[in-house]
Every structure is written in C-alpha cells, then in structure tokens.
Amino acid sequence: MKRDMYYVFILGTAGSGKTTLTKNLQDYLLDQEMDTAVINLDPAVEHLPYTPDFDVRDYVDAYEVMQNYHLGPNSSLIASIDLILTKASEIKSEIDQIEANYVLVDTPGQIELFAYRDTGRLISQLIRGNNKALGLFLLDSFLAKEARSFISLLLLSSSIKFRLDLPIINILNKIDLLTEKELEQILAWGDNAENLIDELGRLDEYSLELVNLLIESLSYNLIPMSSEEGKGFNELYAEIQRVIAGGEDYL
Ligand code: GTP
C-alpha cells in the first residue's frame, strides 16, 4: 500500500519565484528527511534548477508547439496547456509511479492560463487524485509593497483558491528586496485591515467591505520568505503541516 502523500502546488504570477521556491523547498524538505518529489507542469520553461521526477515537457513542449503549429508565443502557450489534457492518461500513469511524502508541483508562469482554463483545474485534480493537497500562492514583494497591488494579489489568490478548490497558504516572497520598514508595513496591513484602509484613503463601501473580508480571512497565514536567501522555511513548513492536519478551512 502507498504511504500518505501530500501534493503542494506552487502558484503565483509570472516571475514571482515559483521555480526557485520549488527547488529550495525540495532541498529544505530533504534536509528534514522528508522524501520529496517534484513535478514540472510548465511546458514553456527553458531551464530548471532541479531534476523533475515528472516533466510535462516530455509530453508537450511549448517551443515545439510554436514551431509545429506556426503559433506566436502566447497562443502556443494556450495550445500547450490544452494539449496536456490529450495526454492525460499517459501523464497519470507516469505520475502514479511517484512515491514520496511530499510532491511539489511547479506550475506554469502564466497563472491565468493554468488556473482559469479547464485544463489546469482538471490536470491538478488528476495529479493529486485522492491525496491531500494545498497551494502556496506567492506574492512578489516588489509588487505587494503598494497597497492596491497587495489587495489585488490577495484577490487573485482567493480567486485561485476558489477555482482550483485548494486550501491556500499565502507567501510574501522575495522579502530581501524590501527595507525593514516596508516589510513591517506589509505585515501590519495583513494583521489588521484598519492599517490598510488608512493607507488607501477614501474608499467606497464595497471596497471597504472587500478589504475587511480579505484581511480577516488572511489573518491565518501570510508567511514572509526569501526563498533565495533561505528565510522563512521553518514557518512555511509549520504552516503546511497545520493545513494538512487542519483540513481545508483556510484562505
Ligand atoms: P515563471 O515561471 O517564469 O513565471 O517564473 P517563476 O515564478 O518560476 O520565478 P523564478 O523562480 O523563475 O524567479 C524569477 C526571478 O526572481 C529570478 O530572477 C529569481 O532569481 C528571482 N527570485 C526568486 N526568488 C527570489 C527571492 O527570494 N529573492 C529575490 N531577490 N529574487 C528571487
């Protein structure tokens, strides 16, 4: 019988640090003596810093799709994501061979292609099967330090949680790019909606309610990290264990 396996989907906007976190989280989990496997679901990635246990490019490669079908970069990405589904049964039987405590899934750079097309949702369900799964949503600090971008990223995270039907841990990534004061300010926004509302100035009633709701549901988890500098991994690991133990009552 197979042991318990946990699937961790690494999600976030383009360039938010998904691939780097996948590599560094795998190294961290291996240090904790957790058997860890990695799946690459990005058909367009050129270079991976880790050796994937499953690589979707063995089935669909966005550059080959671009050449074979004479498509531009965006449409070849869309076509590639959809083509993944045509290989679903082969992909599933290869992934079923993987045995590990944690399976990290590095998702495509363009989150909207993965999360908002049916293929992404179906493939993520196919991959995880009946195993427990959660998502890590990366907020890029460089964007999050502006209050309206911070809220927009939280909205994106909520939308993805809803779309993929996964509990989500929000990570404030690349904190090494922030001054101490900027970091304190973002964490204060996450702690209490009043701080964020003060920053935003005049708001209509709808926006006010939205901000309150977002921050209220966030109070559980916004993990500050710099995956490049190895900061925040203990806190992230503790939160992953908490989510796995605690069910799905998380934003
Ligand atoms: P796509 O899949 O192409 O959208 O990118 P990604 O989300 O997988 O991000 P990736 O890991 O490729 O990182 C994007 C850039 O951010 C690279 O230049 C990384 O070196 C950099 N980066 C990743 N994590 C950190 C971090 O913690 N701090 C800093 N300063 N840079 C980081």
Side-chain angles (χ1 to χ4, degrees):
M1 206 176 96
K2 269 195 166 186
R3 68 187 121 155
D4 281 345
M5 288 169 65
Y6 305 116
Y7 280 75
V8 180
F9 290 80
I10 323 276
L11 305 154
T13 48
S16 55
K18 299 180 287 295
T19 299
T20 310
L21 180 68
T22 304
K23 151 92 181 117
N24 293 344
L25 184 56
Q26 180 181 35
D27 291 348
Y28 174 88
L29 290 169
L30 290 171
D31 279 350
Q32 307 298 310
E33 298 184 354
M34 289 291 157
D35 201 2
T36 309
V38 177
I39 289 177
N40 169 46
L41 275 191
D42 188 349
V45 71
E46 284 183 66
H47 166 73
L48 289 176
Y50 53 78
T51 307
D53 296 84
F54 170 87
D55 192 340
V56 79
R57 293 173 302 172
D58 294 341
Y59 295 86
V60 180
D61 185 306
Y63 293 96
E64 283 172 18
V65 171
M66 186 152 79
Q67 282 166 352
N68 294 345
Y69 296 90
H70 307 290
L71 297 173
N74 285 328
S75 38
S76 80
L77 256 180
I78 295 172
S80 301
I81 302 272
D82 287 348
L83 277 171
I84 294 175
L85 212 52
T86 65
K87 316 268 176 158
S89 61
E90 291 131 283
I91 290 176
K92 176 71 178 158
S93 40
E94 192 183 331
I95 285 177
D96 277 350
Q97 307 300 315
I98 295 176
E99 275 215 49
N101 301 117
Y102 287 95
V103 182
L104 308 182
V105 186
D106 189 7
T107 62
Q110 256 64 13
I111 181 117
E112 68 278 21
L113 291 187
F114 181 68
Y116 299 140
R117 294 186 75 78
D118 276 348
T119 309
R121 195 169 46 86
L122 294 171
I123 283 292
S124 63
Q125 281 165 352
L126 184 83
I127 287 176
R128 63 193 268 202
N130 292 325
N131 295 293
K132 283 194 176 177
L134 59 94
L136 307 181
F137 182 83
L138 305 189
L139 289 82
D140 190 325
S141 285
F142 188 71
L143 302 176
K145 65 186 177 183
E146 202 275 313
R148 281 180 191 265
S149 302
F150 180 65
I151 294 167
S152 307
L153 289 170
L154 293 181
L155 283 169
L156 184 60
S157 166
S158 307
S159 155
I160 282 160
K161 170 188 163 55
F162 182 71
R163 177 74 183 150
L164 297 182
D165 195 18
L166 283 175
I168 295 280
I169 296 172
N170 288 299
I171 292 174
L172 180 64
N173 194 30
K174 306 191 190 179
I175 56 165
D176 57 289
L177 297 179
L178 298 173
T179 63
E180 224 165 278
K181 199 160 163 244
E182 286 170 332
L183 176 59
E184 269 172 29
Q185 183 176 46
I186 301 174
L187 296 179
W189 292 342
D191 266 350
N192 186 338
E194 288 301 319
N195 298 327
L196 194 49
I197 288 162
D198 284 349
E199 178 75 24
L200 289 165
R202 244 177 93 83
L203 283 179
D204 59 72
E205 211 169 300
Y206 170 78
S207 306
L208 207 62
E209 261 183 51
L210 192 65
V211 172
N212 272 312
L213 184 69
L214 272 174
I215 299 303
E216 200 180 300
S217 47
L218 178 76
S219 54
Y220 261 118
N221 53 32
L222 176 65
I223 314 274
M225 291 192 74
S226 163
S227 74
E228 269 195 358
E229 292 192 349
K231 287 184 188 148
F233 282 90
N234 288 338
E235 293 77 5
L236 174 62
Y237 185 43
E239 192 67 15
I240 289 175
Q241 288 178 310
R242 199 151 78 88
V243 172
I244 285 170
E248 309 223 335
D249 193 17
Y250 289 80
L251 175 75

